[in-house]
């Protein structure tokens, strides 16, 4: 079984900055018109290859449920498993990934998990390349790295992959020697289920207020680095603001 996992639980603080309370929206299902012009619709369509699509929500969860039930095509909706993260305000993104993986592990024939953050847009060809590559896959974009918004992926002098992100959206500092550095594409494919289960168990048994990178890094540390492939996403945007959404939408029309 192949599972695609999408997290869309956050409060969309930058997306809703300066917006009246009654106009605030969950950015994964935000649209200025056509119900199919949402990040979630585009992403779940790309994930239609999967046997199941797990979507973890939290902020405005009732609106998310209503959107999935009434706006997504039947063939997509039937594959979706919705999970509620009740601690979406208190805890960081790691807990949403943790909950999604716990649901995925309930399927005994699970072979791989593709994980994508719910505020991304990318071209179909690049996404399908991730699907078709064998083994564990990490992604990167070709955009310049901006510490205020991007996640850094680098390979250290020992050949191990490492992630760095500033949750406060400030500057970044790398203390290691590195052989290469990338702007992370925030899409991953996990192929070693035992390593993934152990990484999730460690997260769940300890401090849960960490980003999803805590689970991902634990997983990466547990598999042979030569079995990891890094692939680039040709067209990729992390939607942080409504201005980002308008730029993304131009590529859909």
């Amino acid at each position: 079984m192949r599972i695609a996992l999408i997290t869309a639980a956050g409060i969309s603080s930058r997306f809703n900055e300066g917006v009246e309370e009654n106009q605030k929206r969950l950015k994964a299902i935000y649209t200025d018109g056509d119900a199919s012009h949402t990040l979630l619709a585009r992403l779940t369509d790309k994930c239609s290859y999967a046997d199941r699509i797990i979507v973890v929500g939290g902020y405005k969860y009732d609106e998310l449920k209503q959107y999935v039930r009434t706006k997504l095509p039947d063939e997509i909706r039937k594959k979706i498993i919705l999970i509620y993260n009740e601690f979406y305000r208190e805890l960081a993104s790691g807990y949403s990934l943790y909950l999604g993986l716990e649901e995925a592990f309930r399927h005994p024939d699970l072979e791989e998990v593709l994980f994508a953050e719910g505020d991304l847009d990318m071209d179909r060809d690049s996404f399908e390349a991730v699907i078709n590559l064998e083994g564990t896959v990490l992604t990167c974009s070709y955009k310049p790295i901006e510490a205020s918004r991007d996640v850094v992926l680098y390979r250290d002098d020992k050949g191990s992959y490492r992630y760095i992100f500033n949750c406060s959206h400030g500057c970044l500092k790398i203390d290691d020697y590195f052989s290469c550095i990338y702007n992370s594409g925030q899409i991953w494919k996990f192929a070693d289920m035992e390593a993934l289960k152990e990484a999730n168990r460690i997260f769940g048994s300890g401090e849960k207020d960490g980003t999803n990178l805590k689970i991902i890094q634990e997983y990466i540390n547990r598999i042979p680095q030569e079995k990891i492939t890094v692939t680039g996403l040709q067209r990729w945007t992390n939607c942080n603001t409504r201005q980002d959404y308008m730029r993304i939408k131009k590529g859909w029309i």
Side-chain angles (χ1 to χ4, degrees):
M1 171 175 281
R2 297 191 294 178
I3 286 180
L5 198 169
I6 300 168
T7 51
I11 62 173
S12 310
S13 57
R14 285 181 286 175
F15 192 81
N16 289 317
E17 188 174 3
V19 178
E20 296 285 342
E21 187 63 35
N22 64 352
Q23 295 298 316
K24 291 183 177 181
R25 297 290 182 267
L26 174 65
K27 64 181 171 181
I29 60 172
Y30 175 83
T31 178
D32 61 355
D34 192 328
S36 68
H37 289 168
T38 68
L39 296 166
L40 186 63
R42 296 283 166 159
L43 189 51
T44 52
D45 180 64
K46 292 182 178 71
C47 291
S48 60
Y49 78 94
D51 299 295
R52 295 287 185 273
I53 303 171
I54 297 172
V55 179
V56 182
Y59 180 63
K60 295 189 179 294
Y61 186 68
D62 287 341
E63 293 180 14
L64 175 63
K65 287 195 298 183
Q66 179 70 6
Y67 179 84
V68 169
R69 185 164 53 243
T70 63
K71 302 300 183 183
L72 292 181
D74 286 347
E75 62 270 20
I76 299 294
R77 177 180 52 80
K78 290 175 181 177
K79 292 186 175 188
I80 290 180
I81 302 171
L82 280 171
I83 302 295
Y84 179 58
N85 176 3
E86 63 180 312
F87 299 111
Y88 67 89
R89 289 189 183 275
E90 294 87 353
L91 299 178
S93 62
Y95 194 64
S96 288
L97 177 56
Y98 169 78
L99 291 176
L101 288 174
E102 287 297 290
E103 173 62 30
F105 297 147
R106 293 179 61 245
H107 301 271
D109 55 347
L110 180 64
E111 296 176 351
E112 69 174 42
V113 176
L114 182 142
F115 167 49
E117 296 184 345
D119 56 358
L120 303 178
D121 179 68
M122 75 298 299
D123 66 291
R124 184 175 295 276
D125 287 347
S126 295
F127 193 87
E128 290 182 353
V130 175
I131 295 169
N132 293 327
L133 284 167
E134 294 185 3
T136 293
V137 181
L138 316 180
T139 61
C140 65
S141 81
Y142 296 111
K143 292 186 176 183
I145 297 168
E146 296 184 27
S148 62
R149 61 185 292 164
D150 295 326
V151 176
V152 167
L153 167 66
Y154 71 96
R155 198 167 193 179
D156 66 19
D157 58 337
K158 300 177 181 64
S160 298
Y161 289 101
R162 305 289 181 191
Y163 283 96
I164 296 179
F165 177 63
N166 189 329
C167 295
S168 301
H169 307 294
C171 292
L172 294 170
K173 181 181 179 182
I174 299 177
D175 293 324
D176 292 336
Y177 291 103
F178 60 86
S179 60
C180 55
I181 186 167
Y182 308 94
N183 187 336
S184 173
Q186 302 303 92
I187 299 171
W188 299 264
K189 189 170 75 173
F190 307 110
D192 187 324
M193 294 302 97
E194 291 307 312
L196 189 58
K197 287 177 182 178
E198 182 62 11
N200 213 48
R201 185 197 67 77
I202 290 170
F203 181 89
S205 63
E207 176 56 54
K208 298 182 180 65
D209 190 18
T211 71
N212 52 39
L213 296 175
K214 190 171 182 181
I215 297 173
I216 294 165
Q217 189 67 66
E218 191 68 46
Y219 169 83
I220 289 172
N221 293 347
R222 293 178 172 277
I223 65 173
Q225 301 297 284
E226 62 270 18
K227 292 190 175 181
I228 298 174
T229 300
V230 178
T231 189
L233 305 173
Q234 294 293 332
R235 179 179 61 77
W236 175 90
T237 304
N238 187 347
C239 184
N240 290 304
T241 66
R242 298 198 183 196
Q243 289 73 30
D244 289 337
Y245 171 83
M246 295 308 298
R247 286 193 293 272
I248 290 168
K249 183 181 173 183
K250 289 179 182 178
W252 298 341
I253 299 173

